[in-house]
Amino acid sequence: MSPRTEQQFEDIRREKVEHIKLCALQLFAENGYDTTPISKIAKVAGISKGLIYNYFSSKEELLKEILISGLKNFISFLKIEEIDRIKREEIIAFVDGNLNLLKQNTDYYKLYFSLVMQPKTVQLLENEMRDVFGQIFEKFIHYFEQQGEDQPYVKARYLLAIFDGIGIHYIIDPERFPLDEIQEILITKI
Amino acid sequence: MSPRTEQQFEDIRREKVEHIKLCALQLFAENGYDTTPISKIAKVAGISKGLIYNYFSSKEELLKEILISGLKNFISFLKIEEIDRIKREEIIAFVDGNLNLLKQNTDYYKLYFSLVMQPKTVQLLENEMRDVFGQIFEKFIHYFEQQGEDQPYVKARYLLAIFDGIGIHYIIDPERFPLDEIQEILITKI
Amino acid sequence: MSPRTEQQFEDIRREKVEHIKLCALQLFAENGYDTTPISKIAKVAGISKGLIYNYFSSKEELLKEILISGLKNFISFLKIEEIDRIKREEIIAFVDGNLNLLKQNTDYYKLYFSLVMQPKTVQLLENEMRDVFGQIFEKFIHYFEQQGEDQPYVKARYLLAIFDGIGIHYIIDPERFPLDEIQEILITKI
Amino acid sequence: MSPRTEQQFEDIRREKVEHIKLCALQLFAENGYDTTPISKIAKVAGISKGLIYNYFSSKEELLKEILISGLKNFISFLKIEEIDRIKREEIIAFVDGNLNLLKQNTDYYKLYFSLVMQPKTVQLLENEMRDVFGQIFEKFIHYFEQQGEDQPYVKARYLLAIFDGIGIHYIIDPERFPLDEIQEILITKI
DNA sequence: CATGAATGAGGTTTCATTCAT
DNA sequence: TATGAATGAAACCTCATTCAT
């Protein structure tokens, strides 16, 4: 048996990291971060408690990595960087994307919303969140300016608030919340 | 120096209960329920840990009472029971009331939003919440029906979602969130 | 049963603190700081693990308090503050005191010697130790200056080193180490 | 490109063993045995954790080998076996050697002193230490007997204690401790 | 009614050691 | 020979809750 190559080790690491993050995300979303012990994550992931600490220096670090991954996914999925001419179609695509993401990544949003109110989380992600939401926010403002709205700042804030309102309500009651219909209304209004 | 009457005792008791609840609410809102120890509540309230257990059978019970008080306050402040003719003015009054409450009771909303995603909380308040929001929801539906909207259910859902979106964003950044301007927009739309 | 008075609480605290410190000192001295678990201290002290954390914020804090108590005891027993004229009798009294203390407080010295080499300990007690040993050291220098020695600094360093050498050897083998005879030799030389 | 001879393998092995021991010694001396994880030794040595266990059956075994090597070095450097006529020059050479060794092997002494108080260490090295120090001790006694001292046993004990006192103080503060001057004083006294 | 000492279950984290590759 | 993933025991520490006073 020849020793494993560096590549093999890296593969193992990456897979395990993803697996742990996924299990943890589900549990955090379902039961809350503080009320989910590491031991439970380990059990669900089918590994030992100790191994988690091979990959994440602490429970908080694990949380942070999950949240940051979610943000990155958000950015790449919505192609936020690429929206530069801020046309109507792009905004609509963004709205669509946002709500589609909500359907696909319910767990992430659940975690996100349950933590976003706590100062600890905000500190944890301060820079990352400022970056992402700052960008989106500016694009919305520009869009409303272009549209000739009189209070572009207010409108942008309002629209972002509506997104989160929809997000929360969908997450609380995904079965019955009429996401598709509301999506249409929202797009119509824009 | 006559011994206190039963009424006086009752008053003292009620005052103390309210005091504890208020302190606990602030701490829960600021640091989260799970990360706020009873000992800290006791310290802030200026009493001993043990005494809290004279008034509340457990930490969870304390949380529950806080949440229910908040709901009751919500109900009475918005006079939900009395809205029966569901006229436009009443809906507007409701919207105004709701956002005013948000400004006054920021702590409560902070706690509420940080917990509302967790199944434990939902269980805790299942009945109470169904009552309150069920009522509001029905009234909204009726209102939109009256207005001749084609999807009153969807619209009602949407409006409630918007409320919570505004709530969350105001709570996260109360200094800069343009609550008053958005309030106007919202009323205009209705 | 009337509630306990503040005085009673304070008495309990002081007693428990002393009891825990004593038990911990013995165990630390016997088995080393790092290899003595809190659980063992609790067992020996006849209390629960948790209670130790009522009185000491961490294991390291407990260690620190033990070491500082030892230093304070050292200071008061040897009346270091009062030695100001630095006469021969006083130095002799100091030597005697020092070695007597060694006999009585073997555990403390054991702990002290086993930790004094580790940077962590030095950091923990930096200020306290500088104070105490700085004073002693200066008095020794003055004494040797008075005696007309040509290298008072070197002599003072040497004497302190000898103390510690004797200390260590006595501690390692208290049964057979001829402390009394060496004490006499030391005094004769001074 | 001929395959390595057994001798070459042996050399490689010995070199690696020495390398690991050296790294471990430095870390143990700096941070303490118990607070130095194997993983850190591996990292500093530039090898994997697992490989350490190819050369040493356990962490304790590694410690033991380090300590025994130190003792052997001590013996061979001071040529303890060869001191048989116990003349004054030999004792002086021993004193000189001892203090020179201290300057060169500070790390070893640091480790040695930090562990020598703990029963575990004493057990680990019981036989070896008895041999070495027993021999030295006897020679000192003989020397003092030869010199006509009235308490040769006490004097020998005293001298050994002084060595260790000097050692400790030098280790704690190698920059300022006047080792050379004290060396002279010591030799003068003998 | 009021206190805080006391408990004990359970949480996070560390790390010596093993082992598949 | 060499790697580091993986384990599991055991460490430190927290805190809701109880209870004697």
Side-chain angles (χ1 to χ4, degrees), chain D residues 46-64:
Chain D
I47 58 174
S48 71
K49 265 181 311 185
L51 192 52
I52 291 183
Y53 286 86
N54 268 355
Y55 297 109
F56 305 93
S57 64
S58 69
K59 190 184 177 191
E60 196 168 294
E61 174 72 17
L62 170 56
L63 173 64
K64 189 176 172 181

Side-chain angles (χ1 to χ4, degrees), chain A residues 77-122:
Chain A
F77 187 88
L78 298 181
K79 300 187 186 118
I80 291 169
E81 312 282 351
E82 301 171 22
I83 308 174
D84 46 15
R85 293 191 33 233
I86 325 164
K87 292 187 296 189
R88 192 167 175 284
E89 299 86 57
E90 279 168 337
I91 293 292
I92 287 171
F94 177 85
V95 172
D96 279 350
N98 203 352
L99 299 185
N100 285 333
L101 212 47
L102 183 63
K103 285 186 215 163
Q104 289 169 31
N105 276 15
T106 310
D107 273 344
Y108 176 73
Y109 280 88
K110 212 165 177 179
L111 176 60
Y112 170 76
F113 283 123
S114 76
L115 290 175
V116 79
M117 234 76 61
Q118 302 203 9
K120 198 173 70 184
T121 315
V122 178

Side-chain angles (χ1 to χ4, degrees), chain D residues 52-94:
Chain D
I52 291 183
Y53 286 86
N54 268 355
Y55 297 109
F56 305 93
S57 64
S58 69
K59 190 184 177 191
E60 196 168 294
E61 174 72 17
L62 170 56
L63 173 64
K64 189 176 172 181
E65 300 237 341
I66 289 171
L67 289 173
I68 287 180
S69 288
L71 276 183
K72 283 189 182 153
N73 184 39
F74 185 78
I75 294 168
S76 71
F77 187 89
L78 297 182
K79 297 180 188 125
I80 290 168
E81 312 283 352
E82 301 172 22
I83 309 174
D84 46 15
R85 294 189 35 233
I86 325 162
K87 291 188 295 187
R88 193 168 175 281
E89 298 85 57
E90 279 168 338
I91 294 293
I92 287 172
F94 177 85

Side-chain angles (χ1 to χ4, degrees), chain A residues 30-31 34-35 113 117 119 151 153-154 157-158 160-161 164-165 168-169 173 176-177 181-182 185-186, chain B residues 30 34-35 113 117-119 151 153-154 157-158 160-161 164-165 168-169 173 176-177 181-182 185-186:
Chain A
E30 192 58 35
N31 307 319
D34 289 303
T35 43
F113 283 123
M117 234 76 61
Q151 290 177 307
Y153 174 84
V154 173
R157 280 277 200 171
Y158 184 41
L160 285 174
D164 283 342
I168 281 197
H169 277 240
D173 183 13
R176 283 172 299 182
F177 189 79
E181 291 87 343
I182 285 177
I185 296 178
L186 196 56
Chain B
E30 192 59 35
D34 288 301
T35 43
F113 282 123
M117 235 78 60
Q118 302 200 11
Q151 291 176 306
Y153 174 83
V154 173
R157 279 277 200 173
Y158 184 39
L160 285 175
D164 281 343
I168 283 195
H169 277 240
D173 184 13
R176 284 173 299 183
F177 190 78
E181 290 86 342
I182 286 178
I185 297 177
L186 195 55

